[in-house]
Amino acid sequence: MVKKNIFKGIIICGGQSSRMGSDKSLLFWNGVPFYKHIEKILSKHCDQVFISCNESQKSNYDLPVIVDNYEQIGPMAGVLTSLESFPNCPIFTFPCDMPFIDQGIIKKMIGGYNNTFDGVFIKDSKGQIEPLIAIYNPSIYSKLLAWYDSGNYSLKKFIESCNNVSYIKLGEQSLININTTKELDNLKRKN
């Protein structure tokens, strides 16, 4: 069994939330901001939990913040900056807009963790990679930085190019994120 104190939990909040029109991490569900739901999930499996965000967001949270060192490259900014912040331990990343993820998925990922791999990632039933519910080992940092330096900013394509990673395959479970006010309203109606 992998001990929880080896992981740093990183909630990726640095996006523009352009489809939502406001910061998704601060939206409320069941009376709590999305990022607090994610903190609750990650804190069960990680030594510490941090928010990865851009400069303009840094005062929005009551958790320790890691401000992105890279601009205009999407979620890769949060992953790169977090790997730089914790060069000697794996980071467990999680997007801020999936507040109701199944704990079983997290347990499968931790069960599939091995420090000889560069990371552990999810493939859904259609073979699509989810690059932000992931465990990134420090060994992947130099490869990701080289990918960035070559002008490539897609985490999904980067992961596809790696040959030393582990995948957790999901069956019919779906990974649903909330991107629009309509999706948020639907979520609230169902719960």
Side-chain angles (χ1 to χ4, degrees), residues 107-120:
K107 289 177 182 174
K108 282 182 188 176
M109 292 187 71
I110 291 172
Y113 173 78
N114 183 320
N115 66 3
T116 62
F117 290 117
D118 287 333
V120 179

Side-chain angles (χ1 to χ4, degrees), residues 128-160:
Q128 295 295 309
I129 294 169
E130 171 48 64
L132 290 182
I133 301 176
I135 299 172
Y136 289 87
N137 265 331
S139 59
I140 206 168
Y141 171 72
S142 60
K143 298 169 191 172
L144 184 57
L145 186 60
W147 183 261
Y148 164 79
D149 286 341
S150 67
N152 295 301
Y153 307 130
S154 170
L155 276 176
K156 208 177 268 193
K157 288 181 181 175
F158 167 72
I159 294 163
E160 289 170 351

Side-chain angles (χ1 to χ4, degrees), residues 10-16 52-54 66-85 91 93-95 121 130-134 136 140-162:
I10 310 294
I11 305 171
I12 305 291
C13 297
Q16 301 298 314
S52 167
C53 64
N54 60 50
I66 299 168
V67 176
D68 295 344
N69 291 332
Y70 304 84
E71 293 182 20
Q72 307 300 320
I73 63 167
M76 184 183 290
V79 175
L80 272 171
T81 303
S82 297
L83 286 165
E84 291 167 359
S85 299
I91 61 169
T93 63
F94 213 95
F121 303 97
E130 171 48 64
L132 290 182
I133 301 176
Y136 289 87
I140 206 168
Y141 171 72
S142 60
K143 298 169 191 172
L144 184 57
L145 186 60
W147 183 261
Y148 164 79
D149 286 341
S150 67
N152 295 301
Y153 307 130
S154 170
L155 276 176
K156 208 177 268 193
K157 288 181 181 175
F158 167 72
I159 294 163
E160 289 170 351
S161 76
C162 293

Side-chain angles (χ1 to χ4, degrees), residues 10-179:
I10 310 294
I11 305 171
I12 305 291
C13 297
Q16 301 298 314
S17 300
S18 55
R19 287 180 281 173
M20 182 62 73
S22 63
D23 188 338
K24 290 189 286 186
S25 67
L26 301 176
L27 295 174
F28 277 74
W29 182 57
N30 290 339
V32 179
F34 276 15
Y35 82 90
K36 294 299 277 184
H37 286 282
I38 307 304
E39 177 197 17
K40 184 177 179 182
I41 293 165
L42 284 178
S43 65
K44 292 177 184 177
H45 307 286
C46 298
D47 173 44
Q48 291 176 279
V49 178
F50 298 82
I51 297 289
S52 167
C53 64
N54 60 50
E55 181 71 28
S56 67
Q57 296 172 293
K58 69 181 183 182
S59 62
N60 293 345
Y61 307 101
D62 61 359
L63 294 175
V65 170
I66 299 168
V67 176
D68 295 344
N69 291 332
Y70 304 84
E71 293 182 20
Q72 307 300 320
I73 63 167
M76 184 183 290
V79 175
L80 272 171
T81 303
S82 297
L83 286 165
E84 291 167 359
S85 299
F86 304 106
N88 299 314
C89 66
I91 61 169
F92 202 138
T93 63
F94 213 95
C96 68
D97 59 0
M98 292 184 176
F100 48 95
I101 192 75
D102 184 320
Q103 282 285 340
I105 293 171
I106 304 301
K107 289 177 182 174
K108 282 182 188 176
M109 292 187 71
I110 291 172
Y113 173 78
N114 183 320
N115 66 3
T116 62
F117 290 117
D118 287 333
V120 179
F121 303 97
I122 290 176
K123 275 190 179 179
D124 68 16
S125 59
K126 296 175 184 172
Q128 295 295 309
I129 294 169
E130 171 48 64
L132 290 182
I133 301 176
I135 299 172
Y136 289 87
N137 265 331
S139 59
I140 206 168
Y141 171 72
S142 60
K143 298 169 191 172
L144 184 57
L145 186 60
W147 183 261
Y148 164 79
D149 286 341
S150 67
N152 295 301
Y153 307 130
S154 170
L155 276 176
K156 208 177 268 193
K157 288 181 181 175
F158 167 72
I159 294 163
E160 289 170 351
S161 76
C162 293
N163 58 13
N164 187 35
V165 297
S166 174
Y167 290 105
I168 302 301
K169 294 187 179 169
L170 297 184
E172 294 304 311
Q173 296 164 305
S174 61
L175 301 172
I176 299 169
N177 59 348
I178 307 299
N179 290 308

